[in-house]
C-alpha cells in the first residue's frame, strides 16, 4: 500500500482499507507492508498493529535529481517497452530492497497489492497461492479525463493503459471501484473471472444523532480539503453560493473536511461561508446541513463524500463526475447539474421546498443503504480473495 490506512477518513486508502483490514483480521493473520510518500506517525502504526500480525513501513525520502538526469529519464521513457514518465521511480533500488526484505522467504495464502504501481515488486518477491491487485481507480481513466491533447500525453496514456491491462492479465484477480473504471482500465465490459467490482461502503461506526447547527438554509460540502479536485469543487461552489445569496441572503455554506489549504480557509472571507477544518466526528457537522452540493469537475472512481452525504438522508446535488462511480438515479435519488446556473437553480429550489428535500434525502439513503453496505461488501471481498 502507498499509505497507512489510519485514521479511517485520512484519505481514499484509509476509507477503503481500514474497514477491510479490520474485517479480515478477525479470521486471518495480516502482514501489512506500507510504502509511504509522507512520514508515518508512530501512533498510527501502533493503531494498525492491533489489527495486524506485523506492520512494516518505509517512508520514502525525497531524491535530488539533476535537470540533466530528468532530461535523460524523459528521453528514456519515450522508448518502446519502457514505463511511463509518471511511473518512473528514482528510488527504485531502495524500494526493491525494502519489499524484498519484507516479503522474501515468507509464504502467504493471498498477496493483496493495494497499489498497482508496486505490482511488479509484489509479484517478484511475494510467494502466495493467489495474487490479487486492487486497482481501485483506473489510472488510465484518470489520465483520459485530464486530457491527451499533446503527443507526449497520448504516449503516456498508451503506456499507462498497456501496463494497467497487462497487470490485470498477470494477476489472479483485479478489483475496480466502479463500472467505468473497470471498463476503461481493464478493457472488459463487465466483471468476469479475472476482474470484478469492489465498491467502498459507508463507514458508520462513528455515527451520532447530534448535530452542530449553523442556522437555517445550510448548504454543505464534504471532503478532504487538501485534495486538488475537492479544492477546485469547493471554490466553484463558493462562487455559486454567492449567486444563491442574492435570492437567499440568510443562506450559509459550510465546508467540512480535514486539512484545508489556505485557499479554502480564505473562503471564510466570503459572507456566509464557514470552513470547519479537521473535525472529531463528521456526522455531527453533516447533521447540521440542509443540502449538499458537489460541483466536481475532475476526479475518478467512487466519490466517498457523496455516499456519506446520501447516507445522512440529506438531498445531494452533484455533477456527472460526482455520480459516475456511484450510479444513483438522477432526479429520483440524486440531482445532477452541470453548469453553475443549474447548480444555483437546484439549490434555490430545494431551499424553498422542505418536502422535496425530505423525499430526495430519504430515497438517497435507501439507495446507499441497499447497495453500499460494508458488511455485504466485506463478505464479497473475502470470497474473492480466497476463491
Amino acid at each position: 500500500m502507498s499509505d497507512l490506512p489510519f485514521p479511517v477518513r485520512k484519505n481514499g486508502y484509509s476509507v477503503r482499507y481500514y474497514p477491510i483490514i479490520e474485517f479480515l483480521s478477525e479470521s486471518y493473520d495480516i502482514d501489512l507492508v506500507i510504502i509511504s510518500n509522507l512520514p508515518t506517525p508512530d501512533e498510527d502504526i501502533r493503531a494498525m498493529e492491533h489489527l495486524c500480525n506485523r506492520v512494516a513501513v518505509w517512508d520514502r525520502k525525497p531524491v535530488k535529481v539533476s535537470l540533466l538526469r530528468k532530461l535523460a529519464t524523459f528521453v528514456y521513457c519515450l522508448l518502446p517497452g519502457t514505463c511511463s514518465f509518471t511511473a518512473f521511480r528514482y528510488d527504485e533500488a531502495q524500494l526493491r530492497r525494502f519489499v524484498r526484505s519484507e516479503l522474501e522467504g515468507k509464504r502467504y495464502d493471498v498477496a493483496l497489492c493495494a497499489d498497482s504501481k508496486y505490482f511488479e515488486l509484489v509479484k517478484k518477491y511475494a510467494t502466495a497461492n493467489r495474487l490479487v491487485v486492487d486497482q481501485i481507480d483506473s489510472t488510465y481513466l484518470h489520465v483520459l479525463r485530464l486530457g491527451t491533447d499533446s503527443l507526449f500525453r497520448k504516449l503516456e496514456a498508451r503506456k499507462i493503459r498497456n501496463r494497467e491491462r497487462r497487470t490485470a492479465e498477470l494477476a489472479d484477480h483485479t478489483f475496480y471501484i466502479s463500472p467505468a473504471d473497470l471498463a476503461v482500465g481493464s478493457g472488459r465490459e463487465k466483471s468476469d473471472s479475472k476482474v470484478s467490482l469492489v465498491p467502498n461502503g459507508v463507514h458508520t461506526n462513528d455515527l451520532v444523532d447530534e448535530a452542530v447547527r449553523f442556522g437555517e438554509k445550510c448548504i454543505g460540502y464534504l471532503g478532504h480539503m487538501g485534495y486538488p479536485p475537492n479544492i477546485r469543487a469547493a471554490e466553484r461552489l463558493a462562487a455559486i453560493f454567492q449567486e444563491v445569496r442574492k435570492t437567499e441572503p440568510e443562506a450559509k455554506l459550510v465546508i467540512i473536511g480535514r486539512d484545508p489549504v489556505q485557499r479554502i480557509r480564505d473562503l471564510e472571507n466570503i459572507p456566509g461561508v464557514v470552513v470547519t477544518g479537521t473535525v472529531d466526528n463528521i456526522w455531527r457537522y453533516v447533521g447540521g446541513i440542509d443540502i449538499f452540493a458537489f460541483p466536481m469537475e475532475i476526479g475518478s472512481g467512487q466519490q466517498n463524500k457523496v455516499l456519506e452525504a446520501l447516507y445522512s438522508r440529506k438531498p445531494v446535488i452533484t455533477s456527472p463526475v460526482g455520480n459516475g462511480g456511484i450510479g444513483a438515479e438522477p432526479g429520483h435519488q440524486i440531482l445532477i447539474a452541470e453548469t453553475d446556473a443549474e447548480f444555483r437553480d437546484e439549490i434555490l429550489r430545494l431551499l424553498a421546498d422542505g418536502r422535496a428535500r425530505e423525499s430526495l434525502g430519504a430515497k438517497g439513503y435507501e439507495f446507499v443503504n441497499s447497495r453500499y453496505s460494508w458488511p455485504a461488501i466485506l463478505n464479497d471481498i473475502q470470497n474473492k480473495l480466497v476463491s
Side-chain angles (χ1 to χ4, degrees):
M1 296 185 67
S2 289
D3 198 1
L4 193 79
F6 187 85
V8 68
R9 285 194 177 84
K10 180 173 63 173
N11 54 35
Y13 277 111
S14 58
V15 165
R16 185 170 179 83
Y17 266 94
Y18 185 84
I20 291 174
I21 292 171
E22 184 180 42
F23 174 76
L24 293 176
S25 68
E26 296 176 1
S27 303
Y28 303 95
D29 291 332
I30 298 174
D31 284 0
L32 184 61
V33 179
I34 304 292
I35 299 171
S36 179
N37 293 327
L38 296 171
T40 306
D42 290 340
E43 59 269 25
D44 291 354
I45 296 174
R46 288 193 292 270
M48 293 307 299
E49 285 175 339
H50 291 295
L51 300 176
C52 300
N53 176 59
R54 183 170 61 91
V55 178
V57 179
W58 187 58
D59 293 331
R60 297 176 73 182
K61 305 295 189 297
V63 179
K64 291 184 178 180
V65 182
S66 67
L67 182 60
L68 182 61
R69 189 179 179 192
K70 287 181 181 178
L71 180 60
T73 301
F74 179 82
V75 173
Y76 167 79
C77 291
L78 294 176
L79 300 175
T82 58
C83 67
S84 65
F85 183 70
T86 52
F88 187 87
R89 298 187 290 249
Y90 292 100
D91 57 352
E92 181 70 23
Q94 297 96 310
L95 281 169
R96 285 183 177 274
R97 282 196 296 271
F98 171 72
V99 174
R100 180 177 181 178
S101 68
E102 296 300 330
L103 298 183
E104 200 169 47
K106 300 176 180 67
R107 179 84 192 187
Y108 297 102
D109 295 309
V110 179
L112 172 58
C113 179
D115 191 328
S116 64
K117 64 176 173 281
Y118 299 123
F119 169 75
E120 289 84 359
L121 297 179
V122 176
K123 187 175 188 301
K124 182 178 179 66
Y125 295 117
T127 302
N129 297 333
R130 189 165 169 80
L131 176 56
V132 179
V133 177
D134 191 356
Q135 186 70 44
I136 312 179
D137 308 336
S138 167
T139 309
Y140 178 47
L141 177 57
H142 178 68
V143 169
L144 291 180
R145 284 174 170 164
L146 291 177
T148 55
D149 53 356
S150 68
L151 182 61
F152 172 70
R153 287 189 171 186
K154 285 184 173 67
L155 178 61
E156 282 283 284
R158 187 179 301 117
K159 289 194 171 195
I160 289 168
R161 179 200 63 192
N162 293 343
R163 182 182 182 277
E164 188 168 331
R165 294 181 179 178
R166 184 173 65 252
T167 297
E169 289 298 328
L170 292 174
D172 292 305
H173 200 81
T174 299
F175 298 154
Y176 281 94
I177 201 168
S178 78
D181 289 277
L182 185 150
V184 175
S186 70
R188 292 167 163 82
E189 293 184 0
K190 58 183 180 180
S191 298
D192 57 27
S193 61
K194 292 286 287 183
V195 300
S196 64
L197 289 176
V198 174
N200 285 348
V202 179
H203 183 76
T204 59
N205 291 358
D206 55 350
L207 187 65
V208 295
D209 291 331
E210 60 189 273
V212 176
R213 299 295 178 187
F214 300 94
E216 296 182 358
K217 300 183 178 180
C218 284
I219 304 153
Y221 188 93
L222 175 66
H224 189 297
M225 297 319 303
Y227 180 52
N230 283 337
I231 296 169
R232 184 166 168 177
E235 289 180 327
R236 182 185 177 194
L237 180 57
I240 295 167
F241 171 70
Q242 292 177 79
E243 294 300 310
V244 169
R245 289 261 293 191
K246 293 177 180 178
T247 303
E248 294 284 359
E250 300 303 314
K252 296 282 185 66
L253 170 60
V254 182
I255 300 172
I256 309 164
R258 64 185 299 119
D259 303 331
V261 297
Q262 190 59 48
R263 284 165 55 188
I264 295 298
R265 292 191 178 279
D266 288 344
L267 294 178
E268 285 200 296
N269 295 325
I270 299 172
V273 175
V274 177
V275 178
T276 69
T278 303
V279 297
D280 57 348
N281 186 303
I282 67 159
W283 298 111
R284 296 175 60 241
Y285 293 81
V286 167
I289 302 301
D290 296 302
I291 300 165
F292 275 99
F294 300 98
M296 307 294 296
E297 296 176 316
I298 55 175
S300 59
Q302 177 185 303
Q303 302 298 326
N304 300 301
K305 53 189 167 287
V306 177
L307 284 183
E308 290 173 330
L310 288 167
Y311 188 85
S312 71
R313 301 178 188 264
K314 306 295 182 179
V316 173
I317 309 165
T318 190
S319 63
V321 170
N323 190 43
I326 292 174
E329 183 181 344
H332 181 67
Q333 297 156 339
I334 200 168
L335 296 180
I336 302 299
E338 296 194 53
T339 67
D340 289 4
E342 288 172 349
F343 271 98
R344 178 202 62 206
D345 292 345
E346 291 288 23
I347 290 170
L348 287 171
R349 181 175 69 83
L350 287 177
L351 286 177
D353 191 341
R355 184 171 295 179
R357 293 199 305 270
E358 184 176 348
S359 175
L360 185 63
K363 291 170 183 175
Y365 166 78
E366 291 168 3
F367 165 74
V368 171
N369 196 44
S370 63
R371 184 177 294 190
Y372 295 102
S373 166
W374 262 128
I377 293 170
L378 292 169
N379 283 318
D380 183 49
I381 289 173
Q382 180 175 340
N383 291 335
K384 289 172 178 175
L385 286 176
V386 301
S387 65

